[in-house]
Amino acid sequence: MTAGPRFSILTPVYDPPIDVLRDTIDSVLRQEFTDWEWILVDDLSPNPAVRDLLRETAAHNSRVRVIERQSNGGIVVASQDALSAARGEFVALLDHDDLLTPNALTLVAATIDEMPSVDYVYSDEDKVSATGEFYDAFAKPDWSPERLRGQMYTSHFSVIRTESMRAVGGFREGFEGSQDHDLVLRVTEQARAVAHVPEILYHWRVVPGSTAERADAKPYAWESGLRAVQDHLRRIGMAAEAELGPVPGTYRIRRHPELERSVSVIIPTRGSSGVVHGIERVFVTEAVRSLLKGTRHTDLEVVVVYDEDTPQTVLDELHEIAGSRLTLVLFSGPFNFSRKCNEGYLAARGEVLLFLNDDVEVISDELIGQMLAPLNEPNVGMTGALLFYEDGLVQHGGHRYHEGLFTHAYQAVPGDSTGAFGALIVNREASGLTAACVAIPRSVFAEVGGFSEQLPANFNDVDFSKKVGVAGYRMLFLADARLYHYESRTREPRVEAFEHMLILQRWGNPAYDPYLA
């Protein structure tokens, strides 16, 4: 037993429509879980009917407490007043126009019971229109600290251990409009555990002028969020700058590129040629040329693992392009992509390995530095890129292991698509990454045993990603690391039955991707 309730629900109130506020009140009073208090802070709403309704609600329910401010302090001040009055073990942040589902607190309480060390809990969401229609359901990823830097994806109805929230100082002035983003960044920096309830526990009300209606409705909130993210980067010691992202509410994280760490770029090839954009090209030479053209990296080795039938002219041209940075490894035997990658690893000297298909063309400047920079951070085991087909459609936006399928997320969507809820324009954790372009520390590659040579052509990167994840590492999809991938021009795409059977035997039939994008 505790002196206070399990949950203190905190709601700053400022002049909502009375019918909207009444709906919010009803959604709280209908909670199945009953060990809660609700602290509503009216921030001197101009409409006296707001205080009348709040007083009436408190008069009929002893769990409801109303604080009436005598001056308008803004959302941060009002929220901090609510926090100061909280007596619960956890605080639950609820906007004055959102709607809780009846089982919201029940499911959060069950999650806390299952994970006693949890300090922060969030859930899925959807939106509700003025006419009561539910839409835009957001099945959020499991805890994704990289994505939280790029957008406030956890959004409303955050549940935070009260002790943890007070330890970081609660809400901070100067971050109005993104005060929750700033708060959650600070809380999760210190949290022992973060939990995601993969069910919709609240409905985000769409009202005129809200960010639920239009992402650009509150430009000041976007700027506040930028300050919050930059402050977060400073606190955790990340050498990076935050910038406003492509759409309101998103942020780009520009890490300082790693330019001196030893890296070996490993490229399997047979020296094939093909026509791209109407021009005949040798794939591997153009891949290496585009990579080196856009990098200032000072400790770089290019390891090309080539088949016996690779034309000598291709090898000669590689020498001209890469010079002393080139290491050639002769490969004998039938095609086996996994074995070629492993033999490249054995010949490489780099502290970091960057695997590239030979049929790629680097678009981004300093791709190597971008890919390497996150690998210095806690538990980051692998990084991957955004890949496009020749026609500009997306080829790979991370792996998705979901509903019985191992697929590339957003395959064949337009190249200028933002993805669902910004998934293609923000960095984020992913369940897996294509081996067409991944960077991994040599130590992690060795720890997981490299690529499985039992999977010579397909699913080898799925198996590899699964092993990296099981070893406890995070895999990051980097939205601004970009390449063309002229896939299937060097071989006929074909999945063998034994490969599909083997991946299912090892990892089972995927049901739900925790980082569903």
Side-chain angles (χ1 to χ4, degrees):
M1 299 293 292
T2 60
R6 191 72 179 278
F7 298 107
S8 292
I9 306 169
L10 311 185
T11 302
V13 179
Y14 183 73
D15 208 31
I18 294 301
D19 59 336
V20 168
L21 179 59
R22 194 180 300 278
D23 288 345
T24 300
I25 291 171
D26 289 344
S27 77
V28 174
L29 298 182
R30 287 198 301 266
Q31 288 301 296
E32 299 166 354
F33 188 88
T34 59
D35 188 15
W36 54 264
E37 66 174 359
W38 191 11
I39 303 167
L40 297 116
V41 179
D42 180 64
D43 197 23
L44 199 61
S45 296
N47 183 359
V50 171
R51 288 198 175 186
D52 290 342
L53 178 55
L54 295 180
R55 290 166 181 167
E56 177 187 348
T57 302
H60 288 87
N61 195 312
S62 61
R63 292 176 295 178
V64 178
R65 290 193 284 150
V66 176
I67 298 173
E68 299 181 5
R69 288 187 50 80
Q70 300 308 304
S71 62
N72 177 260
I75 191 168
V76 168
V77 171
S79 298
Q80 194 70 0
D81 285 351
L83 174 61
S84 297
R87 300 174 298 190
E89 181 184 4
F90 288 84
V91 295
L93 310 183
L94 179 67
D95 281 10
H96 64 200
D97 51 6
D98 284 348
L99 303 175
L100 289 182
T101 62
N103 63 345
L105 292 179
T106 298
L107 293 181
V108 171
T111 299
I112 294 168
D113 290 341
E114 293 172 3
M115 191 185 298
S117 64
V118 70
D119 291 323
Y120 178 58
V121 184
Y122 65 96
S123 73
D124 294 347
E125 69 180 49
D126 64 10
K127 294 186 177 72
V128 57
S129 69
T131 57
E133 299 170 324
F134 299 106
Y135 67 102
D136 220 7
F138 184 6
K140 299 175 185 175
D142 281 357
W143 174 226
S144 183
E146 185 68 16
R147 186 162 187 169
L148 187 64
R149 296 177 186 119
Q151 64 180 164
M152 177 44 171
Y153 83 89
T154 62
S155 198
H156 299 178
F157 191 52
S158 287
V159 179
I160 306 168
R161 190 177 296 274
T162 308
E163 181 183 4
S164 300
M165 187 164 173
R166 286 177 172 152
V168 300
F171 299 94
R172 294 198 299 172
E173 293 188 65
F175 297 91
E176 283 76 8
S178 288
Q179 69 281 345
D180 287 1
H181 196 181
D182 172 61
L183 172 67
V184 172
L185 284 167
R186 288 182 287 119
V187 166
T188 54
E189 289 165 16
Q190 308 295 330
R192 295 168 297 168
V194 176
H196 165 224
V197 180
E199 294 193 37
I200 292 171
L201 299 189
Y202 72 96
H203 311 293
W204 189 357
R205 173 87 70 167
V206 177
V207 297
S210 71
T211 52
E213 180 187 44
R214 287 178 50 209
D216 61 353
K218 298 178 180 178
Y220 69 90
W222 195 13
E223 293 286 349
S224 292
L226 179 64
R227 290 194 298 275
V229 174
Q230 188 62 61
D231 208 28
H232 159 75
L233 299 177
R234 178 189 58 77
R235 285 192 305 272
I236 66 172
M238 183 185 293
E241 277 76 44
E243 300 174 358
L244 296 177
V247 300
T250 65
Y251 309 95
R252 282 194 166 101
I253 308 303
R254 302 290 194 190
R255 289 174 169 87
H256 299 172
E258 277 272 11
L259 298 179
E260 298 177 354
R261 194 174 182 185
S262 172
V263 59
S264 294
V265 181
I266 298 173
I267 309 176
T269 191
R270 62 179 302 179
S272 302
S273 301
V275 177
V276 176
H277 303 303
I279 301 173
E280 181 83 14
R281 67 160 61 195
V282 176
F283 290 111
V284 66
T285 58
E286 296 310 309
V288 173
R289 196 189 310 275
S290 68
L291 178 75
L292 297 182
K293 180 181 178 182
T295 188
R296 295 173 289 117
H297 207 281
T298 60
D299 191 353
L300 169 64
E301 173 189 37
V302 179
V303 180
V304 174
V305 184
Y306 68 98
D307 289 1
E308 292 176 305
D309 58 353
T310 301
Q312 183 62 43
T313 54
V314 172
L315 302 180
D316 292 342
E317 189 173 3
L318 286 170
H319 274 292
E320 291 178 11
I321 297 168
S324 61
R325 291 176 290 190
L326 180 67
T327 298
L328 292 176
V329 178
L330 176 63
F331 178 84
S332 302
F335 175 80
N336 188 314
F337 177 84
S338 297
R339 184 181 154 205
K340 293 180 85 170
C341 288
N342 291 341
E343 292 196 8
Y345 152 73
L346 292 173
R349 62 171 177 79
E351 180 186 348
V352 177
L353 310 174
L354 174 59
F355 290 93
L356 284 183
N357 276 20
D358 69 347
D359 54 355
V360 300
E361 180 180 347
V362 177
I363 302 171
S364 302
D365 286 334
E366 205 49 71
L367 176 81
I368 297 171
Q370 286 189 62
M371 299 281 286
L372 265 60
L375 297 176
N376 287 323
E377 297 160 23
N379 300 321
V380 177
M382 191 159 66
T383 58
L386 175 58
L387 276 62
F388 300 92
Y389 287 116
E390 178 184 357
D391 59 7
L393 298 180
V394 172
Q395 186 267 322
H396 173 82
H399 279 169
R400 179 185 288 157
Y401 309 146
H402 193 67
E403 295 182 343
L405 299 173
F406 302 95
T407 60
H408 296 287
Y410 298 104
Q411 190 169 35
V413 307
D416 60 357
S417 171
T418 62
F421 303 96
L424 283 176
I425 57 174
V426 296
N427 297 345
R428 52 182 167 79
E429 277 75 8
S431 292
L433 301 164
T434 178
C437 180
V438 289
I440 184 170
R442 184 184 193 91
S443 59
V444 177
F445 185 90
E447 179 183 347
V448 302
F451 289 93
S452 172
E453 296 180 13
Q454 293 178 286
L455 293 164
N458 297 287
F459 302 122
N460 37 54
D461 50 4
V462 173
D463 178 72
F464 187 64
S465 295
K466 285 285 192 179
K467 292 191 293 185
V468 172
V470 167
Y473 295 101
R474 293 186 289 136
M475 291 166 277
L476 301 189
F477 165 79
L478 304 179
D480 290 322
R482 301 184 171 203
L483 307 89
Y484 284 114
H485 185 196
Y486 307 119
E487 189 180 45
S488 303
R489 290 184 175 276
T490 55
R491 67 180 178 87
E492 185 69 24
R494 177 180 170 184
V495 177
E496 301 290 348
F498 80 88
E499 293 176 307
H500 191 239
M501 181 177 297
L502 180 58
I503 200 70
L504 292 179
Q505 288 174 342
R506 285 188 177 177
W507 302 109
N509 205 24
Y512 173 76
D513 193 320
Y515 296 112
L516 184 65

